[in-house]
Amino acid sequence: MDIQNYMQTLGRQARAASRLLAAASSEAKNTALLAMAADIRARAATLLAANAQDLEAARRSGLEPSMIDRLTLTEKGVEAIAIGLEQVAALPDPVGEITDVKRRPSGIQVGKMRVPLGVIGIIYEARPNVTADAAALCLKSGNAAILRGGSEALHCNQAIAECVRNGLAAAGLPEHAVQVVDTTDRAAVGALITMPEFVDVIVPRGGKGLIERISRESRVPVIKHLDGNCHVYVDDEADPARIVPIVENSKTQRYGTCNTAESLLVSRTVADLCLPAIGTMLAGKGVEMRACPESLALLTEAGIAADKLVAATEQDWSEEYLGPIIAVKIVAGLDEAIEHINTYSSGHTESILTENYTNAMRFLREVDSASVMVNASTRFADGFEYGLGAEIGISTDKIHARGPVGLEGLTSQKWIVFGNGEIRR
Amino acid sequence: MDIQNYMQTLGRQARAASRLLAAASSEAKNTALLAMAADIRARAATLLAANAQDLEAARRSGLEPSMIDRLTLTEKGVEAIAIGLEQVAALPDPVGEITDVKRRPSGIQVGKMRVPLGVIGIIYEARPNVTADAAALCLKSGNAAILRGGSEALHCNQAIAECVRNGLAAAGLPEHAVQVVDTTDRAAVGALITMPEFVDVIVPRGGKGLIERISRESRVPVIKHLDGNCHVYVDDEADPARIVPIVENSKTQRYGTCNTAESLLVSRTVADLCLPAIGTMLAGKGVEMRACPESLALLTEAGIAADKLVAATEQDWSEEYLGPIIAVKIVAGLDEAIEHINTYSSGHTESILTENYTNAMRFLREVDSASVMVNASTRFADGFEYGLGAEIGISTDKIHARGPVGLEGLTSQKWIVFGNGEIRR
C-alpha cells in the first residue's frame, strides 16, 4: 500500500465529509450516535472476538502487562462504550451558537458563531474505547475525524469502526465523517500530521515521547497534554481541618492519573504544625516523600519511617511520578510557592489551601496553569467534574483550549455580520 | 554576535517579565501606555531623524518605491502612533475577567479566567508604526513581547523602542516586557520561532512567502493571516438596490487591503438583471473582470469595454489580486456558491446579498470563513469596525482566534475552581 496516497485519500474524503457535517442537524448527529450505541451492543460478541484476536497477538509479541490491561475489552467495557455514545448524544450541540451580537456605529450587527474546526486527526494508543469516544466527540461537534489507534488494537478498532459507519449510515450522514486508519504502518502517523490542507488539528493521546515527537513534526496545530506535575500548596492560613484530606485525595485517590498531585509545597510558618500529620498519612499509605532538607529534617523528627523519606534532587521538582511518590518542599510563603510552581509545573493543575482571601485570589490569577484551584483536590481537574460531559483530553497548551477539552474545545468561533446594505465610508 | 545566544537571552528575559506582567494592574499598564505616547510626541524629531537615516539607506540599496512608502514616517505618522497608544490605554483590560462560574454536584464552583498567553513573538516588515502598535496590544493584554521588525526600519524601530522602554520604566513595569530585536541578522527569526520554552505564540505579519516559511518552520503556535480572497455572492433574492453599492464598496473602496473582494459570484437567475450594471460600474472604475464563459458573454453583450474583460482561468478563482481586477462567475445558486467559496476561498471574509432568510442563515452557517456577512461590504472585516478597538492582525487559521485579532485574541482562558474543602469521591 502507498501510505502517502492512502492517507491523502482519507484526508480528501474527510475534508469533503466535514463540509456536510458542519451543516448537519443535531437530530441527525444524535440519531447516528444512538444507532452506533445500539450497534455496539448488538455486536458485542464480534467486538470481544476481535479483541481476543488482538490480545492473543499482543501476548505472543510479549506486550507488557499494563499495555495488555489497557487493550483488554470486557463485556462491561462494551456496555461502557455504548453508554458513552449515548451520553454524548444527550449533550447540547455546541455548533451554531450565536453570541455577543452587538450593533456597531456603522449599522452592522457583529457577533460570533460557534463552528466546527473541520477535520480532526486523533492519534492514540491501544485502547479500544478511545475509538468510539473520539468518534462521538468529533461527530457531535460537527468535525470529521481520522482516527489512528495503536496497532495492537487493530482488529477491535476496525470492528468498532464498522459500528460507527453503520450509525452514520442509519442517520444519512456521510460515510467518511469518521475514518479509522486501516494500517499498522507507522508512516501513516507521519502522513496524518503533515496534511494541513486536509487536517485542521491533531490530538495525540499517549506517552510523552509520542506526543513530543508529534508536536515537533506536525505541520498542523496540535492540542496536546504532556505532563501532569500538579501541586498542592498549603498556605499560612490554610484551614487545618482541610489539609490532610485534600492532600490525601490529591495524591492517593489514584496514582496513575494526570491530575494527581506530584508535589506538595508547605509555607514555613505552618510546616511544624501540619507536616507531621501529612507525613504520617502519606507514609501510612505507602507514599515515599522526596523532601527538601528542611522538610526532611522535620519529617524525620516527626518519626516518619526512614524508608519513606528520600532527599529530593532538583529533578524531583519537575517529576510526574504516576505512583506512590511525592515531592515535598517548604517555601517562604505565597510568593515562593507561585514562583516555584511557575518554574517547575507542567501547567496542568495546582491548588492552594488557604482561608486568606487575597492569597487565594493572587494564586488564582498569578499561577500560570490550565486549572487553578482554591481549597479543592487537584483530582477535580476533569471534563466530567467540570461539567463538560466528556473530554477528548486535557490540554497543557496555552492557545485555543486549556485544561479539559470537551465539545467546545473542538470548535472555534467565526465572526458573523448581519447587515442592512451597509457600505464602509 | 552569537544570535542563538542573544535570542535565548531575550527569551529568558521575556519569560521572566511575562510573570510580572500577568499580575500587573490595569492602572500600571495604562500609565505605561500614556507615558509612551507622551515620549513619542516629545521625541518626534529624534524618530523622524532615525527614519530619515533608514530611508537614506533604503534608497541607496534600491528598495522598491512601495516599500519606501511603507517605511516612511511623517510628523502626522508620529502623532498617529501616539494616538494609537492612547487608544489602547482607553480599552478595557481583558485580563482577569471571570466568566461562566457554575456550581457542580460535587460542591466546587468551576469557571474560567481570562489570562495572557505569556510571551508573544511578532515578526513584521519595515513599518515603524507596527513596533508601537504591537507593543501596546501585547502590554495591555498582559503579554511580554519580542518584536522583530524589518531590517530596513532598524534605526526608527530602536528609537521607538526607547520610548516604549521609557514608558515601562515610568510605570514601574519590567524593562523586558517589550524587547525589540537589535540585529538585522536573519538568523534571529529562525531562533525566535524555535524557542517554545520562551515564546508561546508567533504572529507573523508580512508577505505570503514570509508567513508560509514561518508557519512551516515554527515550533511555536502561529496566529497568521495568509490570503484575503474574499467573495461577494449575489443571491437569487438580492435586493436590487443594494447590489451595485455593496459590490462597488467591497471591490473598489481600497484595492490593497485583505478584506477587499476578489471574486464575485452571481446566481444565474439574476445574472441578466444585475451583471450589466455591475460590469458598467466596475469598468467605469477601471476594474478588469476575469469572467467565466457565461458571464463573459453576458458582459460583452452588455457592451462592457473589451479591454476590461478577460476569460477567467482556474487560477483566477484562488487569486488575491490586491488591485483593480475581480474574478466573476455565474453559479447555479446558493449551493454552488457555498461549494465554490469553501473550495477556493482563503477563509477570510465572504458576503451574501439576499433578502431570503433561509439562504442568509445557511450562508452564515455553512461558509467556512473567519467572517461571514449578510448584506454588508466585505470591507467591514476589521478590528476597529468590529469594535475590538485595535487589531494585531486578521487570522485565517481555524483554532484559537479567527478573523480580526484584538486584545482578547492575545489571551486565553484557564479554569478556576472555588472550593470549600471538597475532595473527589
Side-chain angles (χ1 to χ4, degrees):
Chain A
M1 180 166 17
D2 178 339
I3 297 292
Q4 204 66 32
N5 240 334
Y6 169 68
M7 293 304 291
Q8 291 267 331
T9 302
L10 294 196
R12 200 168 300 111
Q13 290 171 169
R15 178 62 79 209
S18 76
R19 304 283 183 217
L20 300 170
L21 267 187
S25 69
S26 303
E27 197 193 344
K29 294 187 284 190
N30 294 340
T31 300
L33 290 165
L34 296 177
M36 288 174 199
D39 209 44
I40 290 274
R41 284 201 183 90
R43 290 162 176 272
T46 313
L47 297 192
L48 293 172
N51 185 242
Q53 207 180 336
D54 288 332
L55 283 170
E56 206 193 302
R59 281 196 203 93
R60 265 205 313 270
S61 71
L63 201 69
E64 53 181 299
S66 68
M67 294 283 283
I68 298 267
D69 223 49
R70 290 179 175 190
L71 180 60
T72 305
L73 190 64
T74 61
E75 265 182 61
K76 222 171 125 184
V78 172
E79 178 59 21
I81 289 175
I83 291 174
L85 289 163
E86 290 164 349
Q87 282 172 339
V88 174
L91 292 175
D93 188 339
V95 177
E97 180 198 42
I98 294 176
T99 51
D100 305 318
V101 181
K102 295 189 180 82
R103 189 176 287 280
R104 298 289 306 151
S106 62
I108 61 171
Q109 287 179 287
V110 182
K112 291 174 176 178
M113 182 188 277
R114 193 164 286 287
V115 288
L117 293 174
V119 177
I120 300 179
I122 302 187
I123 299 161
Y124 53 101
E125 291 178 327
R127 287 188 163 192
N129 65 304
V130 176
T131 304
D133 290 356
L137 288 168
C138 291
L139 176 63
K140 183 76 184 225
S141 55
N143 294 288
I146 301 178
L147 310 179
R148 210 287 184 174
S151 52
E152 301 84 356
L154 188 70
H155 293 100
C156 192
N157 283 344
Q158 292 301 338
I160 294 172
E162 196 173 338
C163 301
V164 170
R165 279 192 295 268
N166 291 342
L168 290 169
L173 290 175
E175 61 170 315
H176 298 129
V178 180
Q179 297 176 96
V180 178
V181 175
D182 190 12
T183 166
T184 59
D185 192 322
R186 278 167 168 247
V189 172
L192 185 58
I193 64 177
T194 51
M195 309 192 293
E197 65 278 31
F198 297 131
V199 179
D200 296 295
V201 64
I202 292 285
V203 182
R205 296 179 51 160
K208 196 178 170 182
L210 171 78
I211 293 174
E212 282 181 333
R213 189 171 63 83
I214 286 171
S215 305
R216 205 167 42 238
E217 294 170 13
S218 182
R219 291 214 26 227
V220 177
V222 173
I223 295 178
K224 67 173 178 296
H225 161 221
L226 279 174
D227 279 332
N229 172 21
C230 304
H231 293 72
V232 174
Y233 165 57
V234 183
D235 190 38
D236 302 328
E237 298 181 35
D239 177 345
R242 288 172 168 173
I243 299 172
V244 171
I246 289 182
V247 174
E248 178 181 12
N249 190 257
S250 298
K251 178 68 230 181
T252 73
Q253 201 218 5
R254 280 182 69 187
Y255 291 120
T257 51
C258 60
N259 56 19
T260 295
E262 305 289 13
S263 288
L264 172 70
L265 304 177
V266 181
S267 180
R268 185 161 291 121
T269 58
V270 293
D272 278 352
L273 284 168
C274 73
L275 257 185
I278 294 174
T280 303
M281 175 277 292
L282 289 171
K285 296 228 163 186
V287 177
E288 177 183 305
M289 286 154 264
R290 305 269 176 96
C292 69
E294 197 176 344
S295 59
L296 190 65
L298 212 155
L299 289 160
T300 305
E301 199 180 318
I304 307 300
D307 69 329
K308 291 283 167 272
L309 294 176
V310 175
T313 64
E314 173 72 12
Q315 174 63 23
D316 282 304
W317 309 134
S318 314
E319 204 67 56
E320 182 181 28
Y321 302 111
L322 296 171
I325 307 174
I326 192 169
V328 182
K329 189 177 184 2
I330 291 175
V331 293
L334 181 67
D335 285 325
E336 191 184 336
I338 293 174
E339 172 74 26
H340 179 94
I341 292 170
N342 284 342
T343 304
Y344 294 103
S345 169
S346 61
H348 192 296
T349 300
E350 335 292 345
S351 184
I352 184 176
L353 310 189
T354 192
E355 294 303 302
N356 182 290
Y357 169 80
T358 298
N359 286 5
M361 295 310 285
R362 276 196 56 204
F363 190 86
L364 285 180
R365 176 153 179 179
E366 296 179 31
V367 169
D368 186 22
S369 293
S371 289
V372 189
M373 307 180 165
V374 181
N375 295 334
S377 166
T378 58
R379 290 277 296 127
F380 283 109
D382 172 281
F384 291 91
E385 292 293 339
Y386 282 2
L388 305 184
E391 68 179 33
I392 193 98
I394 297 185
S395 165
T396 54
D397 285 326
K398 298 180 78 176
I399 77 159
H400 190 65
R402 298 184 79 168
V405 178
L407 292 175
E408 200 176 285
L410 298 179
T411 63
S412 66
Q413 290 177 304
K414 67 183 179 191
W415 296 92
I416 55 172
V417 172
F418 297 109
N420 296 285
E422 285 82 2
I423 59 170
R424 191 158 163 194
R425 305 287 168 188
Chain B
M1 180 168 15
D2 178 339
I3 296 291
Q4 203 67 31
N5 240 333
Y6 168 69
M7 294 304 293
Q8 291 267 330
T9 303
L10 294 196
R12 200 169 297 111
Q13 290 171 170
R15 178 62 79 211
S18 76
R19 304 286 183 215
L20 301 169
L21 267 188
S25 69
S26 303
E27 197 194 344
K29 294 187 284 191
N30 293 340
T31 300
L33 290 166
L34 296 177
M36 287 173 200
D39 210 42
I40 290 274
R41 285 201 184 91
R43 290 163 177 272
T46 313
L47 297 191
L48 293 172
N51 185 243
Q53 209 180 332
D54 288 333
L55 283 171
E56 205 194 302
R59 282 197 202 96
R60 263 202 316 268
S61 72
L63 200 69
E64 53 180 300
S66 68
M67 295 284 283
I68 297 267
D69 223 48
R70 290 178 175 191
L71 179 60
T72 305
L73 191 63
T74 59
E75 265 182 61
K76 221 171 128 186
V78 173
E79 178 60 21
I81 291 176
I83 291 174
L85 289 163
E86 289 164 351
Q87 282 172 338
V88 174
L91 292 174
D93 187 340
V95 176
E97 180 197 43
I98 295 176
T99 53
D100 305 318
V101 181
K102 296 190 179 83
R103 188 175 290 280
R104 298 288 307 150
S106 62
I108 60 171
Q109 288 179 285
V110 182
K112 291 175 177 179
M113 182 189 278
R114 193 163 286 286
V115 289
L117 293 173
V119 177
I120 299 179
I122 301 188
I123 299 162
Y124 53 102
E125 291 179 329
R127 289 189 163 190
N129 65 306
V130 176
T131 304
D133 290 355
L137 288 167
C138 291
L139 176 63
K140 183 76 183 229
S141 55
N143 294 288
I146 301 178
L147 310 180
R148 209 289 186 173
S151 53
E152 300 84 357
L154 187 69
H155 293 101
C156 191
N157 283 344
Q158 293 300 337
I160 294 171
E162 196 172 336
C163 301
V164 169
R165 280 193 295 270
N166 291 342
L168 292 168
L173 290 174
E175 61 171 314
H176 298 129
V178 180
Q179 298 176 95
V180 178
V181 175
D182 191 9
T183 166
T184 58
D185 193 322
R186 280 172 164 242
V189 172
L192 185 59
I193 64 177
T194 51
M195 309 193 294
E197 65 279 29
F198 298 131
V199 179
D200 297 295
V201 65
I202 292 285
V203 182
R205 295 179 51 162
K208 197 175 169 184
L210 171 79
I211 294 174
E212 282 182 333
R213 189 171 64 85
I214 286 172
S215 305
R216 205 167 44 238
E217 294 170 12
S218 182
R219 293 217 21 229
V220 176
V222 173
I223 296 178
K224 69 173 178 294
H225 160 221
L226 279 176
D227 278 333
N229 172 20
C230 305
H231 294 71
V232 174
Y233 165 56
V234 183
D235 190 37
D236 301 328
E237 298 182 34
D239 177 346
R242 288 173 169 173
I243 299 173
V244 171
I246 290 182
V247 173
E248 177 181 14
N249 191 256
S250 298
K251 178 66 230 181
T252 73
Q253 201 219 5
R254 279 182 70 185
Y255 291 120
T257 53
C258 60
N259 55 19
T260 295
E262 306 287 16
S263 289
L264 172 70
L265 305 177
V266 180
S267 181
R268 184 160 294 122
T269 56
V270 293
D272 278 351
L273 283 169
C274 71
L275 256 186
I278 294 174
T280 303
M281 176 275 294
L282 288 172
K285 295 228 163 189
V287 177
E288 176 182 308
M289 286 155 263
R290 304 269 176 96
C292 69
E294 197 177 343
S295 58
L296 190 63
L298 213 154
L299 288 162
T300 305
E301 198 180 320
I304 305 300
D307 69 328
K308 292 282 166 271
L309 294 177
V310 176
T313 64
E314 173 73 12
Q315 173 63 21
D316 281 304
W317 310 134
S318 314
E319 204 66 53
E320 182 183 27
Y321 301 110
L322 297 171
I325 307 174
I326 191 167
V328 182
K329 189 178 188 350
I330 291 175
V331 294
L334 181 68
D335 285 325
E336 190 185 339
I338 292 174
E339 174 74 25
H340 180 94
I341 291 170
N342 284 341
T343 304
Y344 293 104
S345 170
S346 61
H348 192 296
T349 299
E350 333 293 346
S351 184
I352 183 175
L353 310 191
T354 193
E355 293 303 301
N356 183 289
Y357 169 80
T358 298
N359 286 5
M361 295 310 284
R362 276 196 58 204
F363 190 86
L364 285 180
R365 177 155 178 179
E366 296 179 31
V367 169
D368 186 21
S369 292
S371 289
V372 191
M373 307 180 167
V374 181
N375 294 336
S377 166
T378 58
R379 290 277 296 128
F380 283 110
D382 171 283
F384 290 91
E385 292 293 338
Y386 282 3
L388 306 183
E391 68 180 34
I392 194 100
I394 296 185
S395 166
T396 54
D397 286 327
K398 298 180 77 173
I399 77 161
H400 191 65
R402 297 184 80 169
V405 178
L407 291 174
E408 201 176 287
L410 297 178
T411 63
S412 66
Q413 289 178 304
K414 67 184 179 191
W415 296 92
I416 57 172
V417 172
F418 297 108
N420 298 285
E422 285 82 1
I423 60 171
R424 190 156 163 195
R425 305 287 167 190

